[in-house]
Amino acid sequence: MPSPLRLRTRLTVWYVSVLAVLLLLYAALVFAFQYAVLTRQMLHDEVQDIVTAEGLLYFDHHGILELQQNYYSRPQSHLLVDRLMEVLDLSGRVLYQSSNLHGMPLGGRLQDGEGQTGFNERIVRLQDGTHALIVSHIHAINGTTMIIRLGYSLVPLRERMLQFLILLLIAAPMALVVAGAAGQVIARRGLRPLEKMAAHAEGITASNLDDRLQIDNPNDELGQMARAFNHLLERLEQAFQQMRRFTADAAHELRTPLASIRTMSEVALEQSPSKLQYNDALANILEETARLNETIDGLLLLARAETSQPGLEQIDFPVRELVDEALSVLSVLTEEKQITIVQENDSPGNWIVRADRVLLRVAFMNVLHNAVKFSPRNSVLRISWTHRNGNVRIAFQDQGPGIAPEEREKVFERFFTGRTPATVSETGAGLGLSIARLIVDRAGGHIWFEPVQSGARCVMEFPGGAPTFQT
């Protein structure tokens, strides 16, 4: 299979091909226009000549029609040499014929209405095979009405037009060669920025993904391509950063529980503990395993939320149904701690949001689970719904120990756990709220903690549409 031509060569070939077609069309138009102009000029000369010839015709003393020849100062004039002339009466009898016709008829028998409406022109073929453009006109001399036919041979005109056509056909390939060379130079210069960008792109690896292509003109096609490539590099850089962060987080968080399990297992094997000590060691191992499993699940959720593209799996659904589902799952915990759930809505209806339903359910579960986990027994968990400026706002407020002002933003960082004595015993892997923020951000919303006098108030806000009403 032959190797494909380079882009600059293909551009040059396309350019020369289009130019060749245009030149052919131009040559055809010029040829046709020039032929028409010369033909009209010949016709104009014939009309003038026939008017002149009408004044030179006369009958001699024998009644023979003659043409006065001494009118012209130069007998070798073009009109006298090249002119073909024939005069007929209305019956078709030839009264006069120029010598250069050599006895050949000029136009054959009379046609109906010939010469009666002015100057009638037509192209005829003589007996020797040549073509002539003739003009017919009625004229009367001494009471005799006659038809005067005057014409010129088209052979000289067509020979000159053929020479003109050959000249055009010779000049066109030369013009195409020059245009092809110029097109190659223009294509090389036009693609030079692309070659520079390609050379620059070849030097970009995983270690320097922060490098970007230089954009000289962002409005042309090359600038748009460079901008699209830079956006691709930006997405790749984010993907590599997420992968590195996931690897670092996994290595950091999995090391501690694995080390604890190994240490407790080695201690239990080196000693000769009792059955009770074995049970304690197994219980500690199970506890660390549960923590390890929780961390792995959280990391997998983070990876899924980070790699999901916004908008691909998003659907419209009533957001309150999703909160009710999360409350139903946590009902065992709320009943165990005798927590009362109070929902407050500033307007009736079930507001619609657009998000990934599965991931958003995880976000609600994490926020509600934290609220239930840190709420004291016999307390109230309030969920308020408001709709302002086209956004749906959901607030979850518990009566727990709350969050210190300096930690309201840190709680959304990965693996951050509270340091206050009231919460340190209930802290987990520190991934729940970071997962919730990532999911909410992917849905186009926001999540934050508002300052309150007691407890913690977590607020989620989403772009919302019209509400649906229960019937």
Side-chain angles (χ1 to χ4, degrees):
M1 182 177 179
S3 58
L5 298 176
R6 300 182 66 181
L7 178 58
R8 69 177 63 169
T9 304
R10 295 202 303 271
L11 289 175
T12 304
V13 171
W14 294 339
Y15 165 71
V16 172
S17 300
V18 173
L19 182 60
V21 174
L22 293 177
L23 284 178
L24 288 176
L25 292 176
Y26 176 76
L29 291 175
V30 169
F31 181 84
F33 178 76
Q34 186 69 15
Y35 187 83
V37 168
L38 293 178
T39 302
R40 298 305 299 178
Q41 182 63 40
M42 180 183 292
L43 180 62
H44 180 266
D45 293 342
E46 289 183 2
V47 171
Q48 289 183 335
D49 198 13
I50 201 172
V51 172
T52 303
E54 288 175 353
L56 299 177
L57 290 171
Y58 67 96
F59 287 101
D60 61 8
H61 61 279
H62 296 292
I64 299 174
L65 187 64
E66 296 289 346
L67 180 67
Q68 185 178 351
Q69 299 291 344
N70 58 1
Y71 178 83
Y72 298 98
S73 60
R74 299 181 60 187
Q76 69 276 18
S77 171
H78 168 80
L79 296 179
L80 294 177
V81 173
D82 294 340
R83 181 180 64 199
L84 304 173
M85 186 173 176
E86 184 180 68
V87 182
L88 304 91
D89 60 15
L90 296 181
S91 65
R93 183 170 61 92
V94 176
L95 301 179
Y96 174 82
Q97 191 178 68
S98 59
S99 59
N100 53 5
L101 280 173
H102 305 291
M104 296 182 296
L106 184 63
R109 63 184 181 85
L110 289 176
Q111 297 182 348
D112 295 339
E114 182 177 353
Q116 294 180 3
T117 59
F119 298 91
N120 301 129
E121 71 273 6
R122 57 194 172 102
I123 295 177
V124 299
R125 183 175 182 179
L126 305 180
Q127 289 180 351
D128 61 358
T130 62
H131 290 83
L133 176 64
I134 67 172
V135 175
S136 301
H137 186 62
I138 289 182
H139 182 64
I141 300 178
N142 299 332
T144 302
T145 303
M146 59 191 70
I147 302 294
I148 302 176
R149 291 175 175 173
L150 188 145
Y152 292 114
S153 173
L154 293 175
V155 173
L157 172 64
R158 292 182 175 178
E159 288 179 352
R160 293 184 180 181
M161 291 305 300
L162 180 60
Q163 294 174 358
F164 178 66
L165 179 61
I166 294 174
L167 180 63
L168 288 177
L169 295 178
I170 293 176
M174 299 176 60
L176 291 177
V177 171
V178 175
Q184 187 77 358
V185 174
I186 294 173
R188 184 183 297 111
R189 291 184 178 179
L191 295 176
R192 189 170 297 165
L194 183 62
E195 295 176 352
K196 292 181 179 179
M197 287 190 291
H200 192 174
E202 288 179 354
I204 298 178
T205 61
S207 60
N208 62 338
L209 283 175
D210 57 339
D211 196 3
R212 296 292 183 268
L213 298 181
Q214 181 179 356
I215 302 176
D216 297 328
N217 184 2
N219 297 321
D220 64 4
E221 290 78 2
L222 294 178
Q224 294 174 1
M225 186 191 69
R227 188 166 62 249
F229 188 80
N230 287 339
H231 290 332
L232 174 62
L233 289 177
E234 184 177 352
R235 294 192 295 270
L236 286 175
E237 183 182 9
Q238 292 176 356
F240 270 81
Q241 290 177 352
Q242 292 169 359
M243 183 182 66
R244 293 192 188 102
R245 186 163 57 246
F246 176 83
T247 304
D249 293 343
H252 178 268
E253 291 302 318
L254 297 179
R255 185 183 295 112
T256 301
L258 286 175
S260 299
I261 292 173
R262 179 177 180 179
T263 301
M264 288 184 289
S265 300
E266 290 175 350
V267 171
L269 290 175
E270 290 176 357
Q271 299 177 356
S272 299
S274 62
K275 181 179 180 180
L276 181 59
Q277 291 174 329
Y278 266 123
N279 290 338
D280 289 341
L282 290 175
N284 291 332
I285 291 174
L286 287 175
E287 183 179 351
E288 291 297 328
T289 303
R291 179 184 174 188
L292 182 62
N293 187 66
E294 180 184 355
T295 302
I296 292 174
D297 290 342
L299 289 173
L300 291 176
L301 277 173
L302 276 174
R304 176 184 173 183
E306 285 180 336
T307 56
S308 64
Q309 293 295 327
L312 292 183
E313 299 182 5
Q314 294 185 353
I315 59 173
D316 295 326
F317 59 89
V319 66
R320 185 161 183 171
E321 293 181 1
L322 205 58
V323 175
D324 292 340
E325 287 182 17
L327 290 173
S328 177
V329 174
L330 297 173
S331 61
V332 176
L333 291 178
T334 56
E335 291 175 1
E336 180 183 353
K337 300 183 72 171
Q338 297 182 356
I339 297 175
T340 302
I341 308 297
V342 177
Q343 297 203 44
E344 302 171 343
N345 199 342
D346 64 348
S347 62
N350 194 351
W351 294 98
I352 302 296
V353 299
R354 183 173 184 80
D356 187 323
R357 196 178 191 281
V358 176
L359 289 180
L360 191 57
R361 183 177 183 274
V362 173
F364 284 136
M365 284 289 298
N366 289 346
V367 172
L368 285 171
H369 184 266
N370 278 351
V372 172
K373 181 170 60 174
F374 292 109
S375 292
R377 299 178 64 85
N378 300 316
S379 60
V380 176
L381 174 59
R382 296 185 179 276
I383 304 175
S384 58
W385 302 78
T386 56
H387 187 269
R388 296 177 182 174
N389 300 325
N391 294 330
V392 177
R393 179 175 294 186
I394 314 169
F396 306 90
Q397 183 170 353
D398 60 47
Q399 294 180 337
I403 300 176
E406 65 275 9
E407 294 182 354
R408 289 192 189 120
E409 192 61 30
K410 291 183 179 180
V411 293
F412 293 105
E413 297 177 0
R414 297 182 182 185
F415 304 109
F416 178 83
T417 54
R419 298 294 184 264
T420 58
T423 61
V424 68
S425 61
E426 297 289 345
T427 56
L431 290 174
L433 290 177
S434 61
I435 294 173
R437 166 165 280 188
L438 181 59
I439 293 173
V440 172
D441 288 344
R442 290 291 172 129
H446 303 282
I447 181 173
W448 69 93
F449 278 94
E450 288 184 345
V452 289
Q453 293 182 353
S454 62
R457 180 180 174 86
C458 182
V459 182
M460 293 182 178
E461 187 175 75
F462 303 93
T468 60
F469 296 94
Q470 301 290 337
T471 58

